[in-house]
Amino acid sequence: VLSTENDKSTSSKDSTTEVASKSQEGTAKAPKQKLLDIIGNMTVEVSYRTKLKQLKTREIKKEATNVLEGPDSKPLNPELVQAVSAVASSLPLNKKQTESELLAQLRRHEETTDKQKKGGLLKIRNVISEMAVKRQSPAQRGVRISSRISLRVDEDDQRIKLLHADGSLQNFFLVSSPTIWDLEFAKEIAAVTAQPPRNGFEEMIQWTKEGILWEFPIDNEAGMEDDAEFHEHIFLEKHLKDFPKQGPIRHFMELVICGLSKNPYLSVKQKIEHIEWFQNYFEEKKELLQEI
Amino acid sequence: MEGAVCCWSRRLPGRPVLPSPCTRQVRSYYVDWRMLRDVKRRKLAYEYADERLRINAIRKNTILPKELQEVADKEIADLPRDSCPVRIRNRCVLTSRPRGVKRRWRLSRIVFRHFADHAQMSGVQRAMW
């Protein structure tokens, strides 16, 4: 139910939310959810006629997006695109076809990784970015002016401003650098109001908060925050710059890199640490190596 | 910590428990000293795991020169003895029994049977076929 309300509220936002979608990546999730709740509640009070108009405009927009080739919610990395074109040109087959296929694969890969990472949040961003790309027709503009609540998220993610239809700004100070006393007070309140769990469900909730119980449906990547792209995991040759280019050490390090690139369980940092350790080790043993 | 232990508390291998907001019963001592030593070995093995892996990668090699491998041999022998994972023994978590321990539950067979008979093991039933 909440997601449909959010969709309705997002349908009434205009193209200034392009800024919002970019800076939204910086804001915290919890205050944003709170704000979206507030906005969702607000739209409930909107009259039935405006709701109808909103629904109609949404349908028109959906048709428009089906006609347009909707761009990705997250634009592809330009370096990757360049790499794709280079690869396509090096292959002897049909260049354009290979390029388009590779780009499609990249896009699918990005989509799946994004879905895994951000789950529900992506839906809202998708909707907002769709709004941003479409051009406003004069008919839709008339509808929009009637009940317009635009959302402007500030660069510092402390404040979110609501620009109402009449232009009055409403500031929400969500988190303003909590002092130690605030933290202590919050802890005291939590300790006082923490009642022993009345039933098994509350007990399980408490355990989940403490970290004893996992969150269901089980997220295989819980606690693992690896923001690195796939090419950072696989192409590790750039870390081999300081090694000699010939000889058994190079051969050994290339094997090490081959093994690391196939390891899905380590983060990029850990892999780099391994390589750096070997670097230090061989530097220390340089004198020994020169004797040989 | 164990060095500071006086003679009367030598019986219980304790760890100081900081005041925590937990209101449930918490076991604050290890069952016996052998369990404590096993715990120490596990901690050390975790700390030195990466180094051991890398030094072994140098040793178990046909590419690098043998002198380098001999040096690596000496290095790995210099690491603390408790840091090798081979010394870890999967003891029973409740009774510290070294034998008859099922890996899935980390319990010895006696404790497992006790809990299973009192229906305190989820999904465990007496076999009958």
Side-chain angles (χ1 to χ4, degrees):
Chain A
V1 172
L2 186 68
S3 59
T4 52
E5 279 187 10
N6 283 339
D7 283 335
K8 278 188 190 159
S9 63
T10 53
S11 70
S12 62
K13 290 170 191 156
D14 62 4
S15 56
T16 56
T17 53
E18 194 183 11
V19 173
S21 67
K22 280 186 194 157
S23 44
Q24 251 174 26
E25 295 176 45
T27 49
K29 260 192 194 177
K32 188 161 169 277
Q33 273 302 317
K34 266 194 259 172
L35 193 59
L36 288 169
D37 290 348
I38 297 168
I39 295 170
N41 291 335
M42 281 204 239
T43 53
V44 169
E45 297 159 23
V46 167
S47 68
Y48 180 71
R49 193 192 271 183
T50 44
K51 258 194 198 175
L52 246 179
K53 284 182 191 169
Q54 279 176 22
L55 277 171
K56 276 188 196 167
T57 51
R58 269 183 72 215
E59 280 171 32
I60 298 168
K61 277 173 220 160
K62 272 190 182 170
E63 284 173 28
T65 44
N66 288 337
V67 169
L68 291 168
E69 253 188 326
D72 306 313
S73 58
K74 185 178 164 193
L76 287 176
N77 199 352
E79 294 172 357
L80 287 178
V81 175
Q82 277 178 20
V84 161
S85 57
V87 166
S89 57
S90 66
L91 288 174
L93 301 169
N94 185 4
K95 180 184 164 185
K96 280 195 179 175
Q97 205 182 21
T98 47
E99 205 175 315
S100 58
E101 279 173 15
L102 282 170
L103 282 173
Q105 261 204 345
L106 262 180
R107 258 188 227 122
R108 263 180 272 141
H109 176 80
E110 293 278 349
E111 263 182 46
T112 45
T113 46
D114 278 344
K115 260 188 216 166
Q116 279 173 8
K117 278 184 198 174
K118 280 145 194 177
L121 198 63
L122 193 64
K123 254 201 299 184
I124 301 169
R125 272 210 282 144
N126 256 333
V127 176
I128 292 173
S129 58
E130 277 179 26
M131 304 296 124
V133 169
K134 273 174 290 247
R135 287 178 218 130
Q136 281 186 11
S137 67
Q140 294 176 10
R141 214 180 284 160
V143 169
R144 284 220 181 113
I145 291 170
S146 55
S147 64
R148 200 203 298 176
I149 303 172
S150 67
L151 182 69
R152 233 196 90 228
V153 181
D154 258 356
E155 286 302 309
D156 55 335
D157 54 0
Q158 305 290 345
R159 279 173 266 131
I160 293 182
K161 291 184 184 161
L162 263 191
L163 185 68
H164 285 285
D166 46 344
S168 61
L169 266 178
Q170 192 175 4
N171 271 330
F172 283 89
F173 280 90
L174 294 165
V175 173
S176 52
S177 60
T179 62
I180 301 176
W181 306 115
D182 292 339
L183 290 171
E184 280 299 314
F185 189 53
K187 275 186 207 171
E188 233 186 273
I189 292 177
V192 164
T193 56
Q195 299 294 328
R198 293 176 298 179
N199 51 33
F201 290 116
E202 294 197 2
E203 199 183 25
M204 284 202 273
I205 292 172
Q206 205 175 341
W207 285 345
T208 312
K209 279 183 201 164
E210 287 178 29
I212 299 172
L213 204 59
W214 284 343
E215 290 185 3
F216 295 95
I218 293 204
D219 176 22
N220 274 327
E221 296 175 10
M224 207 172 81
E225 290 171 18
D226 203 11
D227 298 325
E229 300 284 314
F230 69 95
H231 54 87
E232 286 173 46
H233 273 98
I234 296 175
F235 302 114
L236 296 164
E237 278 168 343
K238 52 186 171 182
H239 303 292
L240 278 195
K241 273 186 238 169
D242 298 328
F243 282 95
K245 304 211 175 168
Q246 300 291 331
I249 296 183
R250 181 80 186 192
H251 189 21
F252 174 72
M253 287 314 295
E254 279 176 5
L255 285 177
V256 166
I257 273 178
C258 179
L260 282 177
S261 69
K262 294 187 189 176
N263 190 336
Y265 302 110
L266 295 178
S267 67
V268 179
K269 260 190 189 179
Q270 286 170 316
K271 291 182 186 178
I272 298 176
E273 272 173 24
H274 274 297
I275 297 174
E276 280 176 3
W277 185 92
F278 275 116
Q279 209 174 347
N280 286 334
Y281 184 81
F282 288 125
E283 294 243 343
E284 283 170 27
K285 309 291 168 185
K286 248 189 186 176
E287 300 141 8
L288 185 71
L289 291 170
Q290 253 119 42
E291 286 169 35
I292 306 167
Chain B
M1 256 167 286
E2 287 68 51
V5 161
C6 297
C7 52
W8 76 82
S9 50
R10 190 168 269 218
R11 284 184 223 132
L12 289 171
R15 289 266 141 146
V17 177
L18 297 162
S20 60
C22 179
T23 50
R24 292 184 286 275
Q25 285 184 335
V26 180
R27 178 184 295 271
S28 43
Y29 296 104
Y30 288 111
V31 177
D32 56 8
W33 290 91
R34 282 168 288 178
M35 192 191 243
L36 219 188
R37 293 201 300 259
D38 195 57
V39 168
K40 279 197 279 182
R41 282 180 202 127
R42 281 165 193 267
K43 281 188 192 161
L44 270 186
Y46 182 79
E47 277 176 35
Y48 285 92
D50 282 339
E51 268 193 58
R52 288 191 93 95
L53 176 71
R54 292 157 188 164
I55 298 179
N56 267 328
I58 295 179
R59 285 172 66 221
K60 313 282 179 178
N61 224 327
T62 47
I63 310 167
L64 295 175
K66 283 187 186 173
E67 292 84 358
L68 198 62
Q69 288 175 356
E70 282 163 24
V71 170
D73 280 340
K74 280 180 213 160
E75 279 198 10
I76 203 170
D78 286 336
L79 291 178
R81 209 169 258 205
D82 274 351
S83 67
C84 65
V86 194
R87 291 186 122 218
I88 295 174
R89 181 82 194 181
N90 290 327
R91 287 179 166 268
C92 170
V93 161
L94 293 180
T95 53
S96 179
R97 197 165 194 271
R99 297 194 172 94
V101 181
K102 288 308 275 180
R103 218 175 216 227
R104 181 172 169 182
W105 297 277
R106 302 179 184 177
L107 291 177
S108 88
R109 55 180 179 82
I110 307 162
V111 180
F112 174 81
R113 226 176 88 97
H114 177 267
F115 283 134
D117 286 340
H118 287 73
Q120 287 166 358
M121 297 293 269
S122 173
V124 175
Q125 197 188 18
R126 277 189 161 261
M128 187 175 10
W129 72 96

